[in-house]
Structure formats: structure tokens, C-alpha cells
Amino acid sequence: MIQIAPSILSADFARLEQEILKVETAGADLLHIDVMDGHFVPNLTFGPPVVKAIRKVTQLPFDVHLMVDKPEEYVRPFAEAGANIITIHAEATPHLHRVVQSIKEHRIQAGVALNPATPLCVIEEILHDLDLILIMSVNPGFGGQKFIPSALKKIRRLKTMLMQINSPALIEVDGGVTSENAAQLKDAGADILVAGSAIYGVVDCQAAIASLKKV
Ligand code: DX5
Ligand code: ZN
């Protein structure tokens, strides 16, 4: 069954604890935490102290998406704050292999994210080291953007690459995910759907999660 990772980027930050508990009760599988540094992307969000604080209020695994330059400097602080998965962007470091290894040294899962314009070949040589690949279906930086359909083809090709090397790595898709495109994403090979506005932007988040899951 497909896993759903609500993105707290679209939550009401004044009520963060309730917003997290709401999606946990509603059937979320992971909590997606979008970390933005104002350099790699033109927006600022959460640092390790916020992750550490919310670690106390939920059992959900923390799926930390680092949209930051120099990700090597942030692996340890986010690992110590309670991340279960740390995903870094291939575009953010020339030393992708080294940073992936450093995530694994913390005994947490390592993911690499690719922007819409970044080809799959940049991760080909390290594919067997990865626990997760995050295919961006919008340009990172903001919630509520429109899904870029070419992501579907990319997910299909990635799925084939993973099958060829017998890799159990998961494919996650992030940006503009809705109940309208969820079935296509699953068919293409996605294992985890990240959704911000489709879950936090509606009144009934339980129904929203259910409709993303039932595809
Ligand atoms: C975008 C973030 C996403 C964002 C998705 O830069 O990485 O995780 O929260 O939001 P929606 O689902 O609204 O596109
Ligand atoms: Zn994200």
C-alpha cells in the first residue's frame, strides 16, 4: 500500500502540535518536514530545534527534506534532533556519495532528491547506497504549486533502474500531489506520496489521506 507523508509546510504553525496529531490520527505514515535555508531555495522554514521539539509530540517517523546548501553541515544536527530519514538534494553538493554515507553513519535512512530539471543519471552510480529517492514534481521552495507531469515518466524510468539492480529503495514524490494524480503516481512506481495543501488545505484531512491512500 502506498504511504502518505503530510508536509507540515502547509500546517498552521501557531498550532503545530495539534496539526501533527491531527494527521497522525488521520492515518499518516510519515511526517514530511521541509527544511529551507533561503539560499538553495528562496524561503526559510524550520531548523533542528523545531524538529527536536515536535519529536516529543508524535510517534510518526520524521522524513526530513533538506532544501539547503552545504547539506553536509546539517546531517548531524537533524539526526540528533530526531530525523528518521534525511533527504538531501543532488544539486546542493558536489560530494553526494560522502554526504549519503554520513547520513548512514547516524543509522538513519538516506535519501537523495532531484529537482525537475535534474536527470536520473546523477544518482546512477550511488543508487545501491540509497534508501529513498525523492522525485520533485514542482520546483522546491513553496507549497501549493502545480504538479509537473514529466515527473511521471521520470518515476517510471527510476522504477526500472531500481528493479534492474534489485534495489529495495523507495520512490517518493513531492509537489502538487492530489487525489487526481495519486493513482497515476502509484502506477508509475511511487511508494510514498508527500502532500501539503491536499491534506492541510482541506477541512477533512482524514478523508483527504484516505482518498490518497485508496488509489
Ligand atoms: C516544496 C516542498 C513540498 C511541499 C509540497 O518545496 O518540498 O514538500 O510542502 O506541498 P504541496 O503538496 O502543497 O505541493
Ligand atoms: Zn518536501
Side-chain angles (χ1 to χ4, degrees), residues 5-10 32-36 41 43 65 67 89 134 136-147 173-178 194-199:
S7 166
I8 55 167
L9 185 63
S10 298
H32 187 81
I33 302 172
D34 285 310
V35 176
M36 305 185 185
V41 288
N43 200 358
H65 177 193
M67 286 162 275
H89 267 264
L134 174 51
M136 291 304 301
S137 41
V138 297
N139 288 295
F142 304 94
Q145 301 182 79
K146 199 167 169 292
F147 180 78
V173 55
D174 186 6
V177 172
T178 64
V194 176
S197 41
I199 291 175

